[in-house]
């Protein structure tokens, strides 16, 4: 895997290419994956053409890192602060062969969240496959708790022609209706706003559309899977997304949110998501 520094919409980023023709781009702002193309140049992630690239705001699309808070479940800014800060490029990890980025606590983070930590993001790519791994280390003297999610925006041809398989039988919290029940549908389909948190099943999910199928797996440490599409009404209200943007994306997120991780001094937590073209 070859890594080259580039500028992406005016911001520093890294572009990785592999011998099989696959490639990904990651922004140093937020250590956020912006693009993953498989052999033949097929884009697998959705990045809004209206996403803000100012080195401050959250970037709409790709794979934002939500940590140490999910959404507005706490006193921190929405989805925490890690997606809004510059990360350090650590290059190719000698052991895993993956690209590694790092974020450590600073005066700015300690004003929001008074804990000493080190966060690492590693991105590995093989033929038709991409794995993103988030690791959080407690380098302080006391325990802390946190939530985390890899908020993956998958690119779809048309949301009306998509189905997501593998969640039948999973406990579901429908956040739009504040309703808890067991999912009965063998496949989810999307014709309006959709926002639900599922107990993550043991087996991978399958995103099926006419152009092909994507397998979505996650680590057991990510106990929830979040599925989100804003639909036409909310989508039209999102300033950093085109009105028809909702038609071309579906978020399927590997998450640890319902029961926060309690991390002892010197301990670490790791969660990953893997995408594989079938």
């Amino acid at each position: 895997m070859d890594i080259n520094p580039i500028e992406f919409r005016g911001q520093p980023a890294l572009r990785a290419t592999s011998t099989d023709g696959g490639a990904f781009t990651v922004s140093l702002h937020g250590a956020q994956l912006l693009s993953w193309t498989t052999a033949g140049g097929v884009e697998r992630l959705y990045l809004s053409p209206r996403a803000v690239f100012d080195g401050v705001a959250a970037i709409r699309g790709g794979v934002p890192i939500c940590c140490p808070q999910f959404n507005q479940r706490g006193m921190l800014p929405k989805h925490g602060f890690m997606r809004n800060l510059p990360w350090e490029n650590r290059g190719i990890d000698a052991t895993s062969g993956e690209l590694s980025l790092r974020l450590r606590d600073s005066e700015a983070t300690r004003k929001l969240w008074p804990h000493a930590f080190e966060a690492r993001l590693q991105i590995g790519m093989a033929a038709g496959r991409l794995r993103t791994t988030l690791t959080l280390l407690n380098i302080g003297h006391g325990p802390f708790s946190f939530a985390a999610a890899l908020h993956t925006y998958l690119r779809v041809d048309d949301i009306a022609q998509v189905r997501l398989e593998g969640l039948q039988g999973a406990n579901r919290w429908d956040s739009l209706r504040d309703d808890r029940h067991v999912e009965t549908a063998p496949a989810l389909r999307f014709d309006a706003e959709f926002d639900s948190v599922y107990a993550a099943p043991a087996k991978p999910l399958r995103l099926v559309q006419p152009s092909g199928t994507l397998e979505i797996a996650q680590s057991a440490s990510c106990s929830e899977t979040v599925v989100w599409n804003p639909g036409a009404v909310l989508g039209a209200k999102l300033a950093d997304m085109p009105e028809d943007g909702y038609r071309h994306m579906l978020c399927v997120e590997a998450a640890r949110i319902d029961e926060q991780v309690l991390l002892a001094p010197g301990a670490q937590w790791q969660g990953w998501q893997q995408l594989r073209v079938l």
Side-chain angles (χ1 to χ4, degrees), residues 52-72:
V52 177
F53 282 82
D54 61 2
V56 179
I59 300 168
R60 173 74 68 186
V63 186
I65 296 171
C66 304
C67 192
Q69 177 180 298
F70 182 76
N71 208 333
Q72 291 167 312

Side-chain angles (χ1 to χ4, degrees), residues 38-173:
T38 46
V42 179
E43 179 61 65
R44 303 291 175 174
L45 300 179
Y46 174 82
L47 178 65
S48 170
R50 293 187 184 173
V52 177
F53 282 82
D54 61 2
V56 179
I59 300 168
R60 173 74 68 186
V63 186
I65 296 171
C66 304
C67 192
Q69 177 180 298
F70 182 76
N71 208 333
Q72 291 167 312
R73 299 184 181 194
M75 302 301 290
L76 294 173
K78 185 177 181 180
H79 287 320
F81 51 76
M82 292 189 187
R83 63 178 185 162
N84 297 94
L85 293 174
W87 289 51
E88 175 190 2
N89 172 21
R90 301 288 291 170
I92 299 291
D93 183 272
T95 303
S96 67
E98 299 176 332
L99 174 63
S100 181
L101 298 100
R102 183 175 72 178
L103 176 70
R104 285 181 162 170
D105 62 283
S106 64
E107 186 177 345
T109 69
R110 290 189 294 271
K111 286 180 180 177
L112 294 169
W113 197 59
H115 302 294
F117 71 89
E118 180 177 307
R120 299 174 186 161
L121 186 78
Q122 289 184 279
I123 309 167
M125 178 172 54
R129 189 172 77 236
L130 183 84
R131 180 181 287 223
T132 308
T133 305
L134 176 65
T135 305
L136 200 61
L137 298 88
N138 183 344
I139 57 175
H141 301 293
F144 61 71
S145 59
F146 68 93
L150 296 167
H151 194 313
T152 305
Y153 286 71
L154 299 171
R155 183 167 190 87
V156 301
D157 301 324
D158 188 337
I159 193 66
Q161 297 181 316
V162 164
R163 68 181 191 270
L164 184 64
E165 301 175 346
L167 287 165
Q168 188 176 28
N171 289 328
R172 172 185 178 184
W173 176 57

Side-chain angles (χ1 to χ4, degrees), residues 238-257:
L238 300 174
D240 57 356
M241 200 168 182
E243 280 198 23
D244 69 343
Y246 76 95
R247 292 181 53 194
H248 303 295
M249 53 73 63
L250 179 68
C251 285
V252 182
E253 311 166 35
R256 176 65 179 260
I257 50 180

Side-chain angles (χ1 to χ4, degrees), residues 209-225:
Q209 53 182 328
S211 61
T213 299
L214 190 70
E215 180 188 80
I216 307 161
Q218 64 191 58
S219 60
S221 57
C222 292
S223 46
E224 286 83 42
T225 299

Side-chain angles (χ1 to χ4, degrees), residues 191-207:
D191 57 5
E193 184 180 355
F194 192 102
D195 194 352
S196 289
V197 179
Y198 288 90
K203 293 182 178 179
L205 309 183
R206 290 161 60 99
L207 180 69

